[in-house]
Amino acid sequence: MELLSAFIPVFVGTNWVLEIVTKTLVTSGKIGASSSDDILDKGKLEFQYSHELRPRHVILQECASPRVISTHLNLDSVPPGISNPQNKVKIIVVMRNPKDTVVSYYHFGQKCRSLDGRKPLPPWDEYFRIFLEGKNTYGCYFDHVLGWWQRRDDPHFLFLKYEDMKKDLPNAVRTVAAFLQVNLDDASIETIAHACTFANMKGILDNSRIYDRTVNARKGLVGDWKTMFTDEQKKLFDQKCKTKLEGSGLHFDFE
């Protein structure tokens, strides 16, 4: 069966969904025994590592179906096979509320820069302003999510929210399996969900052979933005959310 699952995360949530998909495909026998590290070694679309300098699209052409691709790119930047999928291609878009996203991405960026000896990110207040102005690595958060949100009625796409996954992880696993046309019994779904709790994910990521994954797991909470935002920053962010998201039909839980 030709099956490609592309994850289009908005800065955070990639590794969580990737782990669910990997375990779902392995459990169902759609792919052989593999780890999410194995998949990312080949399928992290816009990334390049020193141990493999060939472009990812070249590597992926050599891989047997089903192939799993991970990317942070926006709708206008991905190949047409992802932005306008055909046939049995499956695209999973995972989103996290923007307040927790900026806090998580800030801590992740600081840790990555410390790992490879780069200059630290600017102080939080300045980083907050940069994020709100849409000048971060992958562009404006709101334009990014709204770009993908245009595809919400396309059956090739599944949209997941980080906050919903936190509320009911077994249901998220069940939803992913159904979307990938994989039949799993309740025991398998519960096993995968348990393996993908934050505590277990932290163990997987902390011991990853891919260096930037080792600094991904921090708290895994909804509402952690409250530990960083000032009252003024909350007001500014709320206004930005209203301006950008009002009327789009896209809503987030912030706590």
Side-chain angles (χ1 to χ4, degrees), residues 159-179:
F159 286 81
L160 297 175
K161 292 180 182 175
Y162 190 100
E163 296 76 24
D164 292 339
M165 294 170 66
K166 288 289 293 184
K167 290 176 184 175
D168 191 345
L169 189 52
N171 185 61
V173 173
R174 190 175 290 107
T175 299
V176 168
F179 180 67

Side-chain angles (χ1 to χ4, degrees), residues 73-87:
L73 297 174
N74 60 37
L75 183 68
D76 295 331
S77 301
V78 294
I82 296 177
S83 59
N84 292 287
Q86 305 294 321
N87 302 320

Side-chain angles (χ1 to χ4, degrees), residues 8 61 99 114 116-117 124 130 141 163 165 184 189 193 207 249:
I8 318 300
Q61 287 176 340
K99 291 179 181 178
S114 177
D116 53 26
W124 163 250
I130 291 170
Y141 165 95
E163 296 76 24
M165 294 170 66
L184 295 178
I189 288 171
N207 293 288

Side-chain angles (χ1 to χ4, degrees), residues 19-31:
E19 198 66 34
I20 291 172
V21 171
T22 301
K23 293 186 184 308
T24 297
L25 294 177
V26 170
T27 300
S28 65
K30 298 294 184 183
I31 62 175

Side-chain angles (χ1 to χ4, degrees), residues 215-226:
V215 294
N216 262 281
R218 192 174 66 91
K219 292 184 179 179
L221 301 176
V222 177
D224 189 53
W225 59 270
K226 296 176 184 178

Side-chain angles (χ1 to χ4, degrees), residues 230-255:
T230 64
D231 289 343
E232 180 62 23
Q233 286 171 343
K234 179 182 181 301
K235 291 177 183 177
L236 289 170
F237 219 96
D238 286 345
Q239 183 57 49
K240 189 75 169 184
C241 287
K242 182 177 181 180
T243 300
K244 285 288 192 176
L245 300 179
E246 192 170 48
S248 68
L250 181 58
H251 306 283
F252 292 100
D253 293 333
F254 291 93
E255 52 188 277

